[in-house]
Structure formats: structure tokens, C-alpha cells
Amino acid sequence: MWQDLAQIIATLITEYQKLQKLGEEKRAVLAAVDLKSLEKIVLQEQTIIEQINKAETKRQDVINQLAKQYVNIQPSMAMRDVWRQCSDDKMRDVLERTHKTLEDVVKKVQALQENNEIMISAALNVINFKLNQLGGTTVEPSYGQSGQEKVSHEKNLDLEV
């Protein structure tokens, strides 16, 4: 059972490392505002996230089985407390090391995600600016009555026939 848990954690590490690599690629794509490449990366991310969800479900199943075998293990326990119940010192060390690696990779992925969210916001601002340029939209230097920006539109095309 412990070996299964170690393998599942190793799978999670691999998938999160793939997600980290895609996050780094995504950052470059966002900086270039390359929407076609971004779409491809998002689809790849979805596939990886599905794999992570499957592995996580398996991990929870194994923890539930361990909880049935060991009185001191509960499914809601922190993983460090679960490892301590393993009587095999070598396996306990493997579990602790893989879990530490998983924690580190997840932190890196989360940091990339936060940075990419900033990049996405900036890319959307660029797109919005370009659309406003094309549509002849301008924002007034003062705010409206409800605190909203005042937006005016030029009439670029005469649609009257």
C-alpha cells in the first residue's frame, strides 16, 4: 500500500513538472500576445490537469484504504502525519522525500500561475487598447457620476445608406 502511495506521488510530481514547463511556455506566449499558441497551451494544460485529478483521486483512495488498516491514520490528516505511521524506515524516507519534492513543484507552479495571471491581465489590456483604437473609442480624463470612466466613441463609418 505504501509503495502504491509513493508511485502516485511520483506521478503527481511528473504531471506538475509538465504543468510547470507549460507555465513557462505560457509566459513567453503571453508576453508575445500569441493567442493561437496560448490556445494550444491551454488545451495541453487541461489534459495535464485531468491526469493530476485522476492521480489525486487514486491518492485519496489509497489514504482511505490505509485509514482502514491503521487505526492512527485518518483521511483528513496531514501527509507528514500519515508517513509517520509507516513502519518501514526506508519507505518512510522515500515518502517524505517525494512529498517534499511534490510540495516544491506545486509551489513553483503556483508562482508561475500568479505571474501568468498578471501577464494575462496585461495582454487583455493590450487587446482592449487595440480594439478601442480600431473602434475609435476614447476614455475621458475625468470620471462619470457613478465613478465609472467616461467613454466616447468616434463615428468611423457612416452606416446610413
Side-chain angles (χ1 to χ4, degrees):
M1 195 64 54
W2 295 108
Q3 183 64 35
D4 294 341
L5 190 56
Q7 289 174 345
I8 291 168
I9 293 172
T11 300
L12 284 168
I13 290 169
T14 302
E15 295 301 320
Y16 273 104
Q17 286 171 336
K18 289 178 188 176
L19 201 56
Q20 179 183 356
K21 184 180 177 205
L22 277 179
E24 292 165 355
E25 291 175 22
K26 190 179 200 178
R27 182 178 178 145
V29 166
L30 287 170
V33 192
D34 182 356
L35 297 180
K36 288 184 181 183
S37 296
L38 180 62
E39 186 177 349
K40 290 177 187 175
I41 289 174
V42 168
L43 291 174
Q44 290 173 334
E45 283 178 332
Q46 288 174 346
T47 303
I48 292 170
I49 290 170
E50 287 173 9
Q51 295 301 318
I52 289 172
N53 287 336
K54 287 178 186 176
E56 184 60 30
T57 300
K58 287 180 185 177
R59 185 193 66 79
Q60 289 177 353
D61 290 343
V62 170
I63 295 293
N64 287 334
Q65 290 174 6
L66 285 170
K68 290 177 185 174
Q69 289 180 358
Y70 296 87
V71 177
N72 295 333
I73 295 179
Q74 297 175 4
S76 61
M77 289 176 73
M79 292 310 293
R80 286 187 177 91
D81 296 332
V82 173
W83 309 148
R84 292 184 184 132
Q85 303 304 315
C86 181
S87 58
D88 183 357
D89 291 339
K90 195 173 186 179
M91 181 54 68
R92 185 173 46 242
D93 289 342
V94 168
L95 290 168
E96 286 177 6
R97 275 187 275 121
T98 55
H99 187 259
K100 174 71 173 130
T101 303
L102 179 61
E103 281 181 334
D104 292 343
V105 172
V106 168
K107 285 178 186 176
K108 289 176 185 176
V109 168
Q110 287 173 336
L112 275 170
Q113 181 182 357
E114 289 170 7
N115 289 335
N116 285 343
E117 285 177 10
I118 293 168
M119 297 290 287
I120 288 169
S121 177
L124 287 174
N125 286 338
V126 168
I127 292 169
N128 200 18
F129 175 76
K130 291 292 185 183
L131 287 173
N132 286 340
Q133 268 187 328
L134 291 172
T137 303
T138 57
V139 177
E140 301 292 326
S142 61
Y143 290 100
Q145 195 172 11
S146 62
Q148 301 292 325
E149 296 175 329
K150 288 184 187 178
V151 179
S152 60
H153 303 275
E154 285 181 18
K155 193 172 187 181
N156 287 338
L157 302 172
D158 186 6
L159 299 177
E160 293 181 23
V161 181

